[in-house]
Amino acid sequence: MSRSRSFFFNTLLSKSSDLFFAVNEDLVIEEANAASKEILEYPQEDLLGTSFLNLIEPSKQVLVEDALRQAKEEGEVKLRVNVFDQKAQGVALVLFVFWSVDDRVFYISTQKDSTQSGKEVALPSLREEDIFQYLFMESPMPLVIWDFSTLQIIECNPQALKKYGYTRDEFLALNIAQIRPEEDVPLILAATRTEEAYRNIYKRWRHLKKSGELMHVDTYTKIIDYKGRKAALVHVSDVTGKVEAEEELLKAYKKVSDYKFALDESSIVAITDASGTITYVNDNFCRVSGYSREELIGSNHRLVNSGHHDKSFFQNMWQTISRGEVWRGEVMNRNKQGSFYWVDATIVPFLNSDNKPYQYMAVRFDITAKKKSEENILIKTRLLSAIAEVIGTLFQYDNWEDALDASFGIVGRAISVDRVYYFENYFDPHTNEGFANQKLEWTASSARAQLDNPELQNLPFAVIDDFIVPLRNKQPFIAIVSSMDESVTKELLVAQDIKSILVLPIFLKGYFYGFIGFDDCKQEREWREYEISFLKTLTSKLTSAIEKRKNMLDLQDALREKSHILESIGDAFFAVDKQWTVTYWNKRAESILGVRREEILGQRLWAVFDEKEHSLFYTFYGQSLEEETPVHFEVFYDPLGVWLEVSSYPSPSGLSIYFKDISGRKNSEEKLKKMNRELALSNSELEQFAFVASHDLQEPLRMITSFLSQLEKRYGDLLDERAKKYIYFASDGAKRMRNIILDLLEFSRVGRTTEDKQMVSLEALLEEVVGLNRKIIQEKKAKVLWDEGLPELFTFKSPLRQVFQNLINNGLKYQAKGAVPIINESAKDLGSAWHFSVADNGIGIDSEYFDKIFTIFQRLHNREEYSGTGVGLAICKKIIENLDGEIWVTSELGKGSIFHLKLPK
Ligand code: ADP
């Protein structure tokens, strides 16, 4: 444009004799044609870049300025003015000024003012008043003078009349209140009251045209003395267009700010730059996202990304908005606390002049509640179908563990957890201490499996008390792991990346059998009521599956155990139903009755065993079946020649019959009876003998002894030494026989005492024994000692004294020649019994004879070495055993013997 303009001036206009200018808004001459040289004696180039006003005589510069301004408003203005030439000579020219909106320049063409002649026009010599009049009337702007005291309009220029639409007479008949809208009258009246308010003041008013049209004007008022009157000279500039534009702008602005307010109130607003960096957020954004404005501004919008949507979702969004199109969609975001919120988002790209987005404004509405309810319905539907599926699965699989395993997957996916598992409990039968063992597990692909984690096997309840206690009380264990108190449980959960956990106990027949758990490793999930009830429902389904399996196992175990028992017992066993059909027949029955299982199972019992031949069995079994009572009998079974013991027990389905071959028992019973009979005989014979010996043998013996001593006394002189020796042997033998008989008598009397039990002080009893043996003790300088504090016993005194007498006597007797016997008695409290010992320092006994010496007439020495009958210890044994005690010996040859007595208290 500017090049074509220059072309225009330098070629087309170069031939014109009239002068042309192009003057910009700052009144700088941009173009002038060659006529400048001719008319103003300025070469064209000298003018370019200089102010147009420099060419105007100073007193007219304001006028020219006004004219230009007017041209800008009205398009074209004509004015007469003197233009200075290079020699500062005024050239009277008529200027035609056109404002070009497109080029933003004033095009000014000039003509020689024909009213003026000659180049050198004499300046009109005007009086000051005339100058004023001239300027006033020539001004392109409306000018009004009004009387400051009457407010009457007293003068105006043609521009004013043009603006207000009045004739001069009409206008000069008005006062200034009459060119105002009624409501502004008080304002203007108030304003005129002080002169100050009107001194050199720009003010904006509303003025009325004659047409009634309202216009906005900026007035510049100066108080002057006009023809002796105090008046106001008002320069009026119509700014209606500007004011309206401003008002429009204000309105528009107001509208926008109303929208903004509404938007801010109702939605979440953010602006990001082209790369997604947040540059603006409103309060709602901060509130919903949980981040402060400082945290958000400068961060990438990804800060609130929840990870819920896949990559392609955001790719699609970016493609749309970077193309400059609006994107709309539902997005799940995550706030600072980690909770999710759903928004309905509209993202509007703001485009630069190249149509490239330089920023994006995202307006979002929180639709979390709506989403949640949609989601809840969806989830609930999903959970319901999961329950149906699980029940189906439990039926489908034969293998219980497979069924549970498959169910875990369904449940885990339905409720979107990372892990579902089953632990079974074990209780130590001795300590009753509980342990948990992981048995089954399902894991989402994102989580780490824990089935092989050794920490989750044999996990003692004691260390995870906080976890077990609620379960044991039939309560769920629910926790957000990060907010748990420090404990072993927490450590275990953290090690498995668990963020949120829900565990439900399994009770079988009121017994804490195990538990099923659900882990969320992604978020600190708060379990909802319906989720918990869903998992409870499922757990109860799974529990009944476990129970069924357990019952089955128990049944199998019981069956196995039963058949094991039935097969392993030595008894023969068979079972019949109420129609006598044989339903069970064990191995032993096969071998005793000689009928194989295959031959008889499913057969009628009496078809195999003739009921007439077996009438006794038939009768007893029939009775047991009919009366529903057990029946036992023993019978000699002729066909096999054996004795049988038979027991028949009624069962709900018929009879269970046990029998065994008791021929062996029967035979030994018989033998035993015979032996007992013989034994009873020999015992009484022995007693008889002892009785006879005690009473009847003593008499002839005494006779033998006394006749032998008579023989020695009377015929001693007649007898030689040998005869005397024979008599001595004979009387010695009779003496010994007497001792034997006495001992034997003593022995036979044991247990036949008529004495009552009494309190016996063992110490006093030993004193007595020492008294009885005083002579021999003195002879041998022996010592008989006992421990202090020997007990008192409630017992038969004489037999006990006899025992100690015999033992101490033996201790004194069985000594090496010349040895000094030391005998010591002691007692030990065994709680329910006393253990007494009588220890000597004698010759000792070879262990080979420890038992033998307690048998009657058993001696280890001949009477030349040590006198005795061999009955003493037998008597001791009989007495002690009669008192329900025990007697035995321990000894070392050459060192001594200890006789032990154990007597119940
Ligand atoms: P007796 O003493 O009359 O021979 P006992 O029945 O009292 O009969 O003893 C049986 C045998 O046991 C004795 O002959 C003797 O050989 C042995 N005997 C008993 N007491 C002792 C003892 N204290 N030390 C060594 N041998 C003993």
Side-chain angles (χ1 to χ4, degrees):
M1 176 58 100
S2 90
R3 206 183 306 145
S4 66
R5 194 169 67 200
S6 164
F7 170 78
F8 182 71
F9 271 87
N10 292 321
T11 54
L12 295 179
L13 296 180
S14 64
K15 302 292 175 272
S16 171
S17 57
D18 286 337
L19 178 54
F20 291 93
F21 294 99
V23 175
N24 72 9
E25 284 176 280
D26 297 328
L27 308 188
V28 172
I29 300 168
E30 289 195 341
E31 306 287 350
N33 69 342
S36 63
K37 181 81 182 139
E38 175 70 20
I39 296 169
L40 299 177
E41 294 174 22
Y42 278 112
Q44 202 177 347
E45 323 67 84
D46 286 6
L47 290 174
L48 302 186
T50 65
S51 173
F52 183 67
L53 292 181
N54 290 343
L55 298 176
I56 311 297
E57 62 175 299
S59 63
K60 292 290 169 64
Q61 284 179 357
V62 176
L63 197 76
V64 170
E65 255 185 293
D66 278 348
L68 292 177
R69 201 184 304 158
Q70 196 182 354
K72 219 171 173 181
E73 277 171 21
E74 292 170 6
E76 114 179 46
V77 154
K78 177 185 161 189
L79 86 153
R80 289 163 198 282
V81 76
N82 281 335
V83 175
F84 286 160
D85 66 9
Q86 214 240 345
K87 291 178 191 133
Q89 299 286 322
V91 180
L93 292 176
V94 181
L95 305 187
F96 298 93
V97 182
F98 302 91
W99 167 249
S100 165
V101 177
D102 291 339
D103 298 349
R104 304 207 69 78
V105 289
F106 298 99
Y107 288 109
I108 302 171
S109 69
T110 69
Q111 272 177 13
K112 289 257 171 70
D113 191 349
S114 53
T115 57
Q116 310 275 336
S117 61
K119 204 175 174 185
E120 287 163 36
V121 186
L123 287 170
S125 122
L126 294 170
R127 285 172 294 138
E128 204 171 326
E129 198 182 300
D130 294 336
I131 293 170
F132 170 73
Q133 185 65 24
Y134 179 76
L135 285 177
F136 187 81
M137 285 306 170
E138 295 283 324
S139 170
M141 300 300 287
L143 293 167
V144 178
I145 298 172
W146 50 272
D147 186 305
F148 200 76
S149 47
T150 65
L151 311 183
Q152 196 66 38
I153 296 170
I154 49 177
E155 187 54 273
C156 69
N157 70 355
Q159 290 299 341
L161 298 175
K162 203 174 157 193
K163 184 75 13 200
Y164 289 92
Y166 290 98
T167 63
R168 187 174 166 80
D169 290 344
E170 283 171 341
F171 198 58
L172 293 184
L174 299 175
N175 68 35
I176 58 164
Q178 287 169 303
I179 56 165
R180 319 261 163 177
E182 229 171 281
E183 60 271 26
D184 289 357
V185 171
L187 288 176
I188 180 67
L189 294 182
T192 56
R193 250 167 246 142
T194 55
E195 188 181 316
E196 278 65 35
Y198 265 87
R199 205 180 282 277
N200 292 329
I201 268 186
Y202 275 111
K203 223 169 154 64
R204 180 160 296 174
W205 296 101
R206 296 193 301 167
H207 284 186
L208 271 177
K209 291 184 183 180
K210 185 186 174 187
S211 62
E213 191 188 331
L214 205 60
M215 62 177 170
H216 293 273
V217 293
D218 279 347
T219 60
Y220 174 69
T221 307
K222 206 171 168 66
I223 306 294
I224 54 168
D225 181 324
Y226 186 68
K227 296 180 180 166
R229 290 152 82 176
K230 186 173 171 187
L233 167 63
V234 185
H235 182 282
V236 179
S237 165
D238 182 353
V239 292
T240 308
K242 196 172 143 197
V243 168
E244 280 176 357
E246 270 175 15
E247 271 175 7
E248 274 311 305
L249 201 69
L250 248 171
K251 263 192 231 157
Y253 176 75
K254 171 93 170 48
K255 226 179 189 171
V256 169
S257 66
D258 283 353
Y259 283 143
K260 185 174 178 299
F261 177 75
L263 208 61
D264 275 344
E265 280 298 295
S266 62
S267 49
I268 303 161
V269 183
I271 298 177
T272 70
D273 65 13
S275 65
T277 303
I278 299 172
T279 56
Y280 168 84
V281 286
N282 72 347
D283 291 345
N284 274 342
F285 195 108
C286 300
R287 186 176 49 74
V288 175
S289 71
Y291 291 101
S292 71
R293 186 163 271 115
E294 292 69 42
E295 284 173 304
L296 288 165
I297 304 254
S299 301
N300 192 285
H301 202 281
R302 278 193 298 271
L303 192 64
V304 292
N305 189 352
S306 63
H308 171 81
H309 305 279
D310 54 21
K311 254 194 182 156
S312 65
F313 180 84
F314 289 111
Q315 267 167 5
N316 164 280
M317 184 195 87
W318 275 107
Q319 275 162 12
T320 308
I321 59 175
S322 52
R323 270 202 306 271
E325 290 167 22
V326 173
W327 181 89
R328 203 174 158 184
E330 293 186 342
V331 188
M332 183 165 116
N333 287 336
R334 183 169 51 189
N335 69 12
K336 190 178 181 183
Q337 290 75 39
S339 307
F340 297 108
Y341 61 95
W342 275 93
V343 290
D344 178 340
T346 305
I347 305 180
V348 185
F350 284 33
L351 306 180
N352 62 16
S353 51
D354 296 334
N355 271 340
K356 290 267 160 53
Y358 63 93
Q359 68 175 24
Y360 300 102
M361 176 154 139
V363 179
R364 303 176 175 85
F365 296 95
D366 192 340
I367 52 163
T368 310
K370 179 187 132 209
K371 267 281 171 199
K372 273 201 178 137
S373 69
E374 276 174 18
E375 206 179 18
N376 283 357
I377 292 171
L378 251 167
I379 291 174
K380 280 179 188 163
T381 322
R382 202 170 66 207
L383 298 189
L384 274 176
S385 68
I387 292 180
E389 210 182 325
V390 164
I391 294 172
T393 308
L394 294 178
F395 278 118
Q396 204 180 328
Y397 286 85
D398 291 337
N399 180 314
W400 168 83
E401 292 205 343
D402 288 349
L404 213 58
D405 222 357
S407 311
F408 279 4
I410 299 165
V411 179
R413 275 185 286 269
I415 200 141
S416 41
V417 291
D418 296 295
R419 235 178 259 134
V420 182
Y421 42 84
Y422 163 60
F423 275 71
E424 218 165 73
N425 298 335
Y426 164 76
F427 289 90
D428 185 309
H430 304 296
T431 61
N432 207 29
E433 202 184 335
F435 298 88
N437 288 290
Q438 181 162 357
K439 290 278 180 201
L440 291 175
E441 182 190 41
W442 170 86
T443 20
S445 53
S446 52
R448 281 190 294 124
Q450 297 295 325
L451 197 55
D452 297 330
N453 183 350
E455 301 253 318
L456 303 181
Q457 298 299 330
N458 287 321
L459 190 56
F461 284 1
V463 305
I464 49 168
D465 216 32
D466 46 342
F467 175 82
I468 288 295
V469 166
L471 298 180
R472 277 197 133 157
N473 291 327
K474 300 193 175 181
Q475 294 299 315
F477 173 82
I478 302 178
I480 301 285
V481 177
S482 69
S483 47
M484 280 173 68
D485 290 342
E486 294 307 321
S487 67
V488 176
T489 309
K490 182 175 182 174
E491 280 169 30
L492 275 171
L493 300 182
V494 167
Q496 297 172 66
D497 308 326
I498 300 172
K499 294 215 161 59
S500 179
I501 183 168
L502 167 60
V503 182
L504 297 166
I506 294 174
F507 274 80
L508 292 189
K509 299 183 178 120
Y511 156 79
F512 180 35
Y513 191 75
F515 48 88
I516 291 183
F518 308 90
D519 294 346
D520 197 316
C521 301
K522 287 200 208 68
Q523 49 164 329
E524 300 203 326
R525 173 176 187 158
E526 299 278 359
W527 301 91
R528 303 200 190 131
E529 211 42 60
Y530 67 78
E531 290 177 330
I532 296 175
S533 78
F534 161 74
L535 293 175
K536 276 185 180 164
T537 308
L538 275 164
T539 303
S540 84
K541 297 279 174 237
L542 299 178
T543 303
S544 45
I546 294 168
E547 190 168 24
K548 227 189 275 166
R549 167 257 201 174
K550 192 177 146 34
N551 285 345
M552 222 164 69
L553 285 182
D554 287 353
L555 203 69
Q556 278 172 5
D557 279 356
L559 267 174
R560 208 174 300 129
E561 196 181 9
K562 196 170 159 193
S563 63
H564 182 71
I565 291 170
L566 292 178
E567 291 303 338
S568 64
I569 52 173
D571 287 6
F573 168 79
F574 68 88
V576 292
D577 66 12
K578 288 180 178 160
Q579 281 72 47
W580 300 111
T581 308
V582 177
T583 55
Y584 198 92
W585 193 263
N586 80 351
K587 280 217 175 69
R588 194 85 181 109
E590 278 185 335
S591 71
I592 293 183
L593 296 173
V595 178
R596 293 173 55 76
R597 188 195 299 240
E598 306 83 83
E599 292 169 46
I600 195 158
L601 275 185
Q603 302 287 325
R604 211 169 159 269
L605 183 66
W606 307 120
V608 181
F609 296 93
D610 183 58
E611 61 189 77
K612 283 198 194 91
E613 264 179 56
H614 298 85
S615 61
L616 183 68
F617 296 92
Y618 185 78
T619 314
F620 280 132
Y621 294 165
Q623 181 197 346
S624 180
L625 195 62
E626 225 162 83
E627 294 172 10
E628 295 190 351
T629 48
V631 170
H632 307 278
F633 59 96
E634 287 178 4
V635 63
F636 186 74
Y637 187 56
D638 253 342
L640 298 172
V642 292
W643 274 93
L644 295 178
E645 181 191 71
V646 186
S647 297
S648 167
Y649 297 94
S651 72
S653 54
L655 287 180
S656 301
I657 294 153
Y658 299 82
F659 58 95
K660 56 182 163 204
D661 180 349
I662 51 162
S663 308
R665 193 189 86 196
K666 279 274 176 197
N667 291 342
S668 53
E669 262 178 24
E670 286 304 315
K671 247 187 232 161
L672 208 66
K673 270 184 197 161
K674 203 172 144 204
M675 265 166 64
N676 275 347
R677 271 198 302 273
E678 286 168 1
L679 209 65
L681 210 64
S682 69
N683 264 354
S684 62
E685 276 168 0
L686 190 68
E687 269 175 32
Q688 205 71 37
F689 167 73
F691 184 76
V692 170
S694 60
H695 290 280
D696 300 351
L697 283 185
Q698 278 194 70
E699 186 46 40
L701 200 57
R702 252 198 304 275
M703 236 164 75
I704 293 170
T705 317
S706 72
F707 277 104
L708 278 174
S709 64
Q710 289 292 328
L711 192 64
E712 200 185 6
K713 233 191 241 169
R714 299 245 181 119
Y715 303 100
D717 308 336
L718 301 177
L719 297 174
D720 62 1
E721 274 310 301
R722 178 172 294 192
K724 280 182 183 168
K725 219 176 197 172
Y726 289 166
I727 290 173
Y728 168 75
F729 286 145
S731 63
D732 184 53
K735 219 189 275 170
R736 274 192 293 119
M737 192 170 176
R738 186 174 169 268
N739 281 338
I740 291 172
I741 289 170
L742 285 175
D743 279 350
L744 204 54
L745 186 63
E746 189 64 43
F747 182 80
S748 75
R749 276 200 193 123
V750 171
R752 289 196 199 174
T753 172
T754 50
E755 191 185 349
D756 287 331
K757 277 189 177 180
Q758 54 181 300
M759 284 310 294
V760 180
S761 157
L762 199 56
E763 288 181 24
L765 189 126
L766 290 172
E767 298 278 11
E768 274 183 51
V769 175
V770 168
L772 288 170
N773 294 284
R774 181 170 297 121
K775 199 173 164 220
I776 176 170
I777 290 171
Q778 277 170 358
E779 266 173 29
K780 295 201 166 194
K781 301 192 171 73
K783 280 185 182 137
V784 178
L785 311 164
W786 51 86
D787 290 356
E788 261 177 51
L790 291 179
E792 290 198 341
L793 302 171
F794 185 68
T795 189
F796 301 103
K797 187 178 175 184
S798 315
L800 194 65
R801 185 179 49 212
Q802 176 92 57
V803 170
F804 280 98
Q805 160 68 23
N806 287 359
L807 294 178
I808 289 169
N809 197 262
N810 280 351
L812 294 169
K813 182 163 66 172
Y814 293 103
Q815 296 280 346
K817 241 179 209 140
V820 176
I822 301 172
I823 297 164
N824 195 45
E825 286 79 24
S826 62
K828 206 154 105 194
D829 192 343
L830 300 178
S832 59
W834 288 106
H835 178 175
F836 302 108
S837 39
V838 179
D840 63 50
N841 58 344
I843 55 170
I845 304 162
D846 193 325
S847 63
E848 196 184 327
Y849 306 113
F850 281 178
D851 285 335
K852 203 176 171 189
I853 55 171
F854 292 100
T855 312
I856 192 165
F857 300 135
Q858 289 295 337
R859 306 201 65 225
L860 303 180
H861 306 93
N862 58 39
R863 63 193 147 82
E864 277 72 38
E865 281 180 287
Y866 300 102
S867 65
T869 58
V871 181
L873 286 179
I875 290 175
C876 288
K877 185 170 158 80
K878 201 171 173 194
I879 291 172
I880 292 299
E881 284 178 355
N882 260 332
L883 295 173
D884 292 326
E886 283 171 56
I887 183 167
W888 70 100
V889 69
T890 54
S891 175
E892 215 176 312
L893 271 177
K895 289 200 171 165
S897 310
I898 306 170
F899 283 84
H900 304 270
L901 307 176
K902 191 172 157 194
L903 282 175
K905 281 184 179 173

